[in-house]
Amino acid sequence: ASEFGLNARSGLEIPENSPRLSDSDGIRSAIGQGTNLFSVSQIARYMTAVANNGTAYNLTLLDKLKDSDGNTIEDYSASVYNSIDILNTTWASIQEGLHQVALNTSAFKGLDLSIAGKTGTTSDWFDLMFVGMNPEFVSGVWVGYKENKEIKNHWSIQSARVWKNIIGEWIVNHYYDEDFNKQFPTCETVLASPFCQGTGKIAGLACPKGTMGYWKSTNLPWCNNYELTLGYNALEDDDE
């Protein structure tokens, strides 16, 4: 997480809360739960590194400082925070998974823009977030209260739809060109298949199938139904 800059402020020239890396429950922490605490700008920096294959930047709100004659006094181009050395096939796997998330999110139907992205919520429903990206941009939205309390009617609010209505449609209508609709390269090393609800592995023919999952071709944990049968037998034993 620290390689993506998730242990530091993002670099924005405005007050920003310090992030917190989870210090308990390692398994859940690895998938973003636990006691992790990040702002939308910090998550956006992390997603920027995913979008560009491994370069994490110090973010900036400024472009250039010029005098009254148009001469550049200072250039505020984003500086590199860290470069993450991971195989391109691994980046492609992650990008494809995030792209499929967006493709299967109903909020984006009809949006003429190719994106990848991910929603996020806190377990107490204090925060809703969506960060969207493609090879040309990363942007995010956060929904919540300044007072840090449960969001009313949170079940009816889709952070992805908020992102689409504010950011996605603005890009399409006001800042749209061929570059902004670029897609990530097709990843042929990713298998898309439903997961088995009993074992969490890739579902076999006889498995009870869950939602679509995405796996690298070098790591395909197929369910052979044997483990699933053991699970059912254990449940039957408990009933007895």
Side-chain angles (χ1 to χ4, degrees):
S2 60
E3 291 196 56
F4 288 93
L6 288 172
N7 63 332
R9 291 188 176 99
S10 67
L12 296 179
E13 296 88 354
I14 57 175
E16 182 182 24
N17 291 331
S18 296
R20 182 176 69 211
L21 295 177
S22 182
D23 57 3
S24 64
D25 199 339
I27 294 177
R28 289 186 177 87
S29 296
I31 60 173
Q33 297 181 8
T35 59
N36 286 304
L37 182 64
F38 309 115
S39 68
V40 66
S41 57
Q42 290 152 7
I43 294 294
R45 171 159 74 168
Y46 152 69
M47 292 286 272
T48 298
V50 174
N52 66 36
N53 288 20
T55 302
Y57 289 96
N58 290 309
L59 305 184
T60 179
L61 296 171
L62 306 176
D63 182 18
K64 291 181 175 65
L65 175 64
K66 295 185 178 183
D67 61 23
S68 58
D69 296 322
N71 300 311
T72 298
I73 298 174
E74 188 166 356
D75 189 328
Y76 290 93
S77 298
S79 59
V80 174
Y81 176 83
N82 188 38
S83 295
I84 305 160
D85 187 16
I86 297 177
L87 292 174
N88 285 340
T89 52
T90 299
W91 290 121
S93 299
I94 299 170
Q95 292 159 357
E96 179 63 19
L98 292 169
H99 180 51
Q100 291 297 330
V101 168
L103 287 177
N104 289 282
T105 299
S106 60
F108 297 120
K109 292 189 183 301
L111 180 66
D112 186 22
L113 186 66
S114 177
I115 64 165
K118 187 68 179 69
T119 58
T121 61
T122 48
S123 57
D124 47 20
W125 296 103
F126 284 13
D127 308 272
L128 303 175
M129 186 184 297
F130 180 84
V131 178
M133 66 180 190
N134 75 9
E136 291 300 313
F137 75 93
V138 174
S139 58
V141 295
W142 169 81
V143 180
Y145 295 107
K146 182 179 179 181
E147 296 81 8
N148 199 29
K149 60 183 180 180
E150 182 178 342
I151 299 170
K152 296 180 179 179
N153 302 322
H154 55 74
W155 57 85
S156 66
I157 301 172
Q158 295 184 29
S159 55
R161 190 172 299 280
V162 174
W163 188 96
K164 175 200 173 186
N165 292 343
I166 296 175
I167 297 175
E169 292 185 1
W170 184 83
I171 291 173
V172 171
N173 294 326
H174 301 286
Y175 203 56
Y176 187 83
D177 57 28
E178 290 185 3
D179 284 344
F180 257 74
N181 206 25
K182 281 185 178 178
Q183 299 185 22
F184 291 108
T186 301
C187 180
E188 298 181 359
T189 63
V190 174
L191 172 70
S193 178
F195 69 84
C196 172
Q197 292 181 328
T199 65
K201 297 183 178 182
I202 302 173
L205 293 176
C207 293
K209 295 178 174 59
T211 57
M212 190 67 70
Y214 303 92
W215 288 268
K216 290 179 63 176
S217 59
T218 54
N219 180 27
L220 299 178
W222 290 96
C223 178
N224 60 10
N225 298 126
Y226 175 70
E227 295 174 61
L228 186 59
T229 302
L230 291 178
Y232 285 150
N233 288 341
L235 292 174
E236 291 172 0
D237 292 340
D238 289 341
D239 292 339
E240 295 174 359

